[in-house]
Amino acid sequence: MSEENMIQLDLGTTAQKTTAAEKLPVVLLALDQGKYDMPRSLDELRALADANGMQAVAEVVQKRQTPEAATLLGEGKVAEARLVCQNVRAAAAIFDGELTGSQIRNLSAALQVEVLDRTLLILEIFRARATTNEGKLQTELATLRYQLPRLQGLGESMSRQGGGGGGGGGARRGAGETKLELDRRHLHHRIEHLEEKLKELEKRRGETRRARKKNNVPVVALVGYTNVGKSSLLNALCGEQIFEADMLFATLDPTARKLTLPSGLQIILVDTVGFVSRLPHHLVEAFRSTLEEAAFADVIIKVADAGDEQAAEQLAVTDEVLSGLDCGDIPQLVVYNKCDTANLSSFDPDILLTSAKTGRGLPELLAKLDDVLAHRVRTLELVLPYDKLALADILRSRGSVAAEEYREDGVFYRATVKIDDLHRFEPFLV
């Protein structure tokens, strides 16, 4: 199919990159039916727009129990939104929720600006931030699944027909396929292709997990709301720099780093994609293979922002997503990060408070991980005869050595080893 015939939602028209000198002005639209915290949701939508190189300069909210079918907002409120868009010279309007194809078309025509919904905005951010092949494929898949049910409502051009009764001699051929049918068939084929490629990548990911399990390396997953400092926490603990910034979805692709706990136990620390409230179901499904890093982890660290008044709500969103991944039996730790920005007197003394910026609470977090994973290691004292010193390499590579002393009958070690390696050293225990 030629590119001009493909249905495309022009995500890039308004979604300029953040390197632009000025952010594009946009107007936020919302229908308040009393189902959730509207001010909180609009604050999050404003932050999403900011992460996508836009600046919310105005908002139009209507309290209404029954939405208008064509535009969700009532006729008078749509007229008001059009005046606001004109007055602030908005480049686009962003609706706080999901819209159908016909609703996008109707609102765009009424407001005379491009209209995006919450899901489309998140998809554009994902598309801009994905760096790995898997992340790009997942984002494209989610975008196509978003587009598919909206094809019919995107405009009259979808009914144009190809083929048909042309030709001379009174030829009478069928009407041919409409552009809608062609585009729908193209999207179905592309979705099937992407799903196959992602299955191949998931198979490789499964092999990596099996290798970790074979080597008995525990996996600890950092999960939580976007912009609570998961990447900063990973950098502070592992000393390796991955991109971090004070914005939503600063990092999208999962990152794994090795970390040695105080006991000497080596673990894999995994940073996963962040969550937002009302994350659309098909986005969760598209990124399921990434999120399943948490489902296959030995320990889950749920990270919240200690300085955010809505930290409890952030954790509730995290729990909601994790419940869909069947993570109930996995040990979980709750960590309140960014404690340097919070009033610590309001927290229980037993709560884990950390600051990736100052380093506060990191030793306590590592000690807690040691406690949770204590069944994986054993501290012992042994003397290795000089003809068995090859075993010392296992002590160092798969455990840790706290003391070493050369004696007449061999080398004395005080070391921490994995339970799986204990049988190697039992004949030499002191």
Side-chain angles (χ1 to χ4, degrees):
M1 173 179 287
S2 66
E3 187 171 331
E4 64 180 5
N5 287 332
M6 286 177 56
I7 178 62
Q8 294 188 9
L9 295 180
D10 190 3
L11 302 181
T13 300
T14 59
Q16 301 292 330
K17 301 297 181 281
T18 54
T19 55
E22 293 184 2
K23 294 189 175 182
L24 292 177
V26 295
V27 173
L28 307 184
L29 308 176
L31 177 67
D32 187 358
Q33 295 180 273
K35 295 180 178 179
Y36 49 83
D37 186 341
M38 181 54 66
R40 172 72 176 178
S41 185
L42 285 174
D43 286 343
E44 186 173 273
L45 187 64
R46 189 175 294 105
L48 287 168
D50 181 71
N52 200 44
M54 303 170 175
Q55 181 180 5
V57 295
E59 57 186 52
V60 177
V61 181
Q62 182 176 31
K63 288 190 175 182
R64 179 174 176 151
Q65 290 297 322
T66 305
E68 184 71 28
T71 57
L72 290 186
L73 302 178
E75 183 179 347
K77 191 60 70 170
V78 171
E80 177 188 333
R82 179 175 180 175
L83 288 176
V84 171
C85 289
Q86 291 174 346
N87 290 337
V88 300
R89 297 184 178 182
I94 305 175
F95 192 87
D96 189 27
E98 279 203 11
L99 299 171
T100 65
S102 60
Q103 288 167 347
I104 291 175
R105 182 193 64 198
N106 294 337
L107 282 171
S108 295
L111 303 180
Q112 296 298 298
V113 296
E114 184 177 0
V115 173
L116 298 83
D117 63 12
R118 183 186 180 92
T119 302
L120 195 56
L121 180 61
I122 294 174
L123 283 171
E124 174 56 19
I125 296 172
F126 279 17
R127 187 176 69 169
R129 303 281 165 76
T131 56
T132 65
N133 186 38
E134 183 173 14
K136 292 175 181 177
L137 292 176
Q138 288 171 328
T139 301
E140 183 183 355
L141 178 60
T143 302
L144 295 180
R145 285 176 174 169
Y146 170 90
Q147 290 178 346
L148 189 59
R150 291 168 173 79
L151 288 179
Q152 192 165 1
L154 285 173
E156 295 179 1
S157 64
M158 292 299 96
S159 64
R160 291 201 304 266
Q161 292 177 330
R172 293 293 182 267
R173 295 194 293 272
E177 288 185 294
T178 64
K179 187 173 186 299
L180 171 63
E181 291 165 342
L182 287 169
D183 291 333
R184 183 177 288 140
R185 183 155 52 88
H186 171 79
L187 290 190
H188 276 299
H189 288 167
R190 182 61 181 165
I191 287 172
E192 291 174 2
H193 176 68
L194 291 173
E195 287 174 342
E196 287 299 319
K197 294 187 73 172
L198 285 170
K199 284 180 181 178
E200 293 177 7
L201 292 173
E202 175 58 23
K203 184 178 179 181
R204 296 177 195 171
R205 187 187 293 274
E207 292 171 354
T208 301
R209 292 190 186 116
R210 283 191 290 274
R212 290 174 184 168
K213 187 174 183 180
K214 183 178 180 180
N215 293 329
N216 202 29
V217 180
V219 176
V220 177
L222 294 169
V223 301
Y225 216 75
T226 181
N227 202 31
V228 295
K230 297 189 301 300
S231 298
S232 300
L233 202 56
L234 184 141
N235 285 337
L237 291 170
C238 301
E240 297 206 29
Q241 292 300 309
I242 61 174
F243 180 71
E244 55 183 82
D246 186 17
M247 64 173 65
L248 302 190
F249 299 115
T251 52
L252 176 61
D253 299 296
T255 305
R257 295 286 183 269
K258 287 184 179 180
L259 175 64
T260 302
L261 298 179
S263 66
L265 179 65
Q266 290 187 345
I267 67 172
I268 299 294
L269 191 60
V270 180
D271 180 20
T272 61
V273 63
F275 310 140
V276 294
S277 61
R278 293 159 41 228
L279 189 65
H281 177 73
H282 58 270
L283 285 185
V284 176
E285 282 300 310
F287 284 83
R288 188 176 182 87
S289 61
T290 302
L291 295 172
E292 279 182 348
E293 286 293 339
F296 286 92
D298 296 275
V299 181
I300 294 175
I301 299 178
K302 297 188 294 187
V303 186
D305 186 345
D308 194 321
E309 295 180 354
Q310 302 293 329
E313 285 77 2
Q314 292 176 354
L315 288 172
V317 170
T318 302
D319 288 334
E320 182 181 350
V321 177
L322 290 177
S323 66
L325 297 172
D326 298 326
C327 300
D329 296 333
I330 300 175
Q332 299 181 7
L333 300 177
V334 178
V335 172
Y336 285 83
N337 194 33
K338 300 185 180 182
C339 69
D340 53 291
T341 65
N343 178 13
L344 302 186
S345 62
S346 60
F347 289 92
D348 189 290
D350 295 330
I351 289 179
L352 281 171
L353 294 168
T354 63
S355 170
K357 183 178 180 180
T358 66
R360 175 169 179 166
L362 299 186
E364 289 79 2
L365 172 58
L366 294 176
K368 189 66 176 178
L369 284 173
D370 258 336
D371 289 343
V372 175
L373 295 169
H375 64 285
R376 295 291 192 102
V377 296
R378 182 74 56 81
T379 299
L380 46 82
E381 295 182 348
L382 68 156
V383 176
L384 288 179
Y386 287 105
D387 61 345
K388 299 292 184 179
L389 288 185
L391 291 173
D393 291 336
I394 297 177
L395 283 178
R396 294 188 175 89
S397 63
R398 293 173 55 85
S400 65
V401 176
E404 182 177 4
E405 178 186 339
Y406 284 82
R407 298 178 178 177
E408 290 185 5
D409 55 343
V411 182
F412 167 81
Y413 292 97
R414 182 180 300 111
T416 300
V417 301
K418 294 181 180 179
I419 293 296
D420 288 357
D421 293 327
L422 189 59
H423 67 282
R424 301 173 186 266
F425 305 104
E426 284 180 343
F428 314 110
L429 293 178
V430 175

